[in-house]
Amino acid sequence: MSDSNKSQKKLFKNASWLFGGKSASGIFTAIQTVIVARMLGVSDYGLLTLVIAYISVLNMFFDLKVWETATKYIGTYLEKGEADKTRSMIKLSYILDIGSGIIAFIIAILSAKLISTYIIHTPDAYVLIWIFSISLFIDTANSTSDAILRVFDRFKSIAFINSFQKLFRLLVVVGLLFAGFGIEGVLYGFILASFIGFTIRMWIVVKTLYENDLQGWLSADLGLIRDQWKGIVWFLGNTSFIATLKTGNERYLGVMILGYFAGKDAVAYYKIASTVASLANKVVDPLYEAIYPELVKFTSSNAIKDFKKMIKSTTKSLVLIIVPLTAIIIIFAEPIVRLVFGTEYVPATNALRILAVAVLIVRFTFWINPALLAMGRPGLRTILGVITTTLYLILMLLLVPPYSYFGAAFAFLGYALLRSGLAFKFFNDALKDEKKRIEES
């Protein structure tokens, strides 16, 4: 069996574990969303969405996106048998992850009153921001932990952690809602689930490192990777800048813009539409996480044909799933919303149809980010992110004031079309450069 076939078999095995975990997580999250939306009502559900979106904006803004850098360099050092450098990279990754999380947490606490008054337009919402910021602090090291588990093919463990955490969160949130705690109960449930997830994740990471004779990373010498610092900083700078750009997408800053111009009800309708439209992501996300380490291995061994073959085959397999799923969502949008979320959310129906098409377009090029990173071209990904995010925010500012959440849906559709077009161009350019590099080496 060729290296390509072996890696592809391994990819789908890893992706299947992630898909299983994310499917279970998705089911638990979907049930939670339905219950929370129904019990809180449109206005309070919109307020909850805005609070979560603001904390997410801060998290994404200060998030260094360490997991991608950690996956590349830990995986590379491990492949070369450089155990000491592997330990050093693990230590550096945790330092960066935790440091950025602390900064985001402090700013969340300090800015809560201003945001609740002038952006969310609910003066007492700052208490909710304070509560939810605790989960941001707890989750801060998870990025590096998951990167380590991916490198060591512990995808089964990742699937278990994610699904168990979501199940625990569902049970706690529902219990607190029925006990009459309202929005605060939902947020407390999130915090407790974050703590459980963090604890289990760290236990498995420590066990994994011990089994691979990589214990003692806390005392590792960062000077051992000094010769790679320039490359690490460049790679990390680009990936973290991309994370910052993601604050401008439809789930984060986009929601804040919608809330500022159109109010909490519009946010609630858009959130429901976005949640249903994003069902395709439950299929794509596992592939994204599983394909990146495999693509890194291909580029490290100059196996460019296998690299292209894997991208092509996974895209074909994906299309067979997400196209029918999108068609079902578009055709049955109104009964889905009515039956699942209730008649008060029916105004979200047409926005759902628009977003379903947009999500489908974006997912045709799910591979662009891991492919560019594997080829060592984070700069191209940054350029792609700058162009598409800028266009999206401009469209939001133009379309949301007159058209509310419908305008937000069309803004995301415009983003999807531009991103997919540019993705193919940038990928072809990077592939030509990669072939030239291999020929010259």
Side-chain angles (χ1 to χ4, degrees), residues 265-325:
D265 288 9
V267 169
Y269 295 139
Y270 186 85
K271 175 63 176 177
I272 293 301
S274 178
T275 297
V276 179
S278 298
L279 286 174
N281 293 338
K282 305 303 179 185
V283 179
V284 178
D285 288 348
L287 277 177
Y288 178 96
E289 294 180 28
I291 199 174
Y292 180 43
E294 298 305 312
L295 294 181
V296 169
K297 291 177 183 178
F298 284 138
T299 54
S300 298
S301 58
N302 294 332
I304 200 67
K305 289 184 179 178
D306 293 333
F307 178 86
K308 291 170 61 180
K309 183 179 178 181
M310 175 165 285
I311 291 174
K312 187 175 181 179
S313 62
T314 51
T315 303
K316 285 183 176 179
S317 300
L318 184 66
V319 167
L320 296 176
I321 300 173
I322 62 175
V323 170
L325 178 60

Side-chain angles (χ1 to χ4, degrees), residues 238-250:
N238 278 280
T239 54
S240 62
F241 184 61
I242 285 293
T244 300
L245 286 176
K246 284 186 177 180
T247 61
N249 74 19
E250 48 101 23

Side-chain angles (χ1 to χ4, degrees), residues 35 39 168-182 185:
I35 294 173
M39 293 191 69
F168 180 84
R169 189 177 73 183
L170 167 64
L171 296 175
V172 174
V173 166
V174 171
L176 291 173
L177 277 175
F178 277 101
F181 285 91

Side-chain angles (χ1 to χ4, degrees), residues 100-110 130 133-134 136-137:
S100 62
I102 291 172
I103 293 173
F105 174 74
I106 292 172
I107 292 178
I109 298 298
L110 296 177
W130 283 351
S133 64
I134 298 172
L136 182 155
F137 182 74

Side-chain angles (χ1 to χ4, degrees), residues 135-348:
S135 68
L136 182 155
F137 182 74
I138 295 172
D139 289 338
T140 186
N142 289 347
S143 177
T144 294
S145 296
D146 283 347
I148 294 170
L149 295 178
R150 290 187 187 100
V151 169
F152 288 100
D153 290 327
R154 298 297 296 269
F155 291 91
K156 184 177 179 180
S157 298
I158 295 174
F160 166 75
I161 295 167
N162 289 336
S163 57
F164 180 79
Q165 182 176 342
K166 294 300 191 300
L167 173 60
F168 180 84
R169 189 177 73 183
L170 167 64
L171 296 175
V172 174
V173 166
V174 171
L176 291 173
L177 277 175
F178 277 101
F181 285 91
I183 295 178
E184 291 88 347
V186 176
L187 298 178
Y188 285 131
F190 277 46
I191 293 170
L192 289 172
S194 292
F195 179 76
I196 292 295
F198 168 79
T199 303
I200 298 174
R201 187 176 274 105
M202 285 304 302
W203 177 75
I204 295 176
V205 166
V206 170
K207 184 173 181 289
T208 299
L209 293 178
Y210 179 81
E211 290 172 350
N212 289 274
D213 198 25
L214 288 171
Q215 63 270 32
W217 59 269
L218 277 170
S219 58
D221 181 9
L222 296 181
L224 293 175
I225 55 176
R226 189 185 301 274
D227 60 330
Q228 294 288 321
W229 279 5
K230 183 177 180 181
I232 291 172
V233 169
W234 170 248
F235 197 94
L236 184 66
N238 278 280
T239 54
S240 62
F241 184 61
I242 285 293
T244 300
L245 286 176
K246 284 186 177 180
T247 61
N249 74 19
E250 48 101 23
R251 288 188 298 167
Y252 305 116
L253 192 55
V255 167
M256 301 300 292
I257 292 174
L258 179 59
Y260 178 78
F261 285 110
K264 293 178 289 187
D265 288 9
V267 169
Y269 295 139
Y270 186 85
K271 175 63 176 177
I272 293 301
S274 178
T275 297
V276 179
S278 298
L279 286 174
N281 293 338
K282 305 303 179 185
V283 179
V284 178
D285 288 348
L287 277 177
Y288 178 96
E289 294 180 28
I291 199 174
Y292 180 43
E294 298 305 312
L295 294 181
V296 169
K297 291 177 183 178
F298 284 138
T299 54
S300 298
S301 58
N302 294 332
I304 200 67
K305 289 184 179 178
D306 293 333
F307 178 86
K308 291 170 61 180
K309 183 179 178 181
M310 175 165 285
I311 291 174
K312 187 175 181 179
S313 62
T314 51
T315 303
K316 285 183 176 179
S317 300
L318 184 66
V319 167
L320 296 176
I321 300 173
I322 62 175
V323 170
L325 178 60
T326 301
I328 291 172
I329 292 174
I330 292 173
I331 294 170
F332 299 103
E334 194 274 337
I336 289 173
V337 173
R338 182 184 298 276
L339 293 174
V340 176
F341 297 98
T343 55
E344 61 182 332
Y345 290 99
V346 167

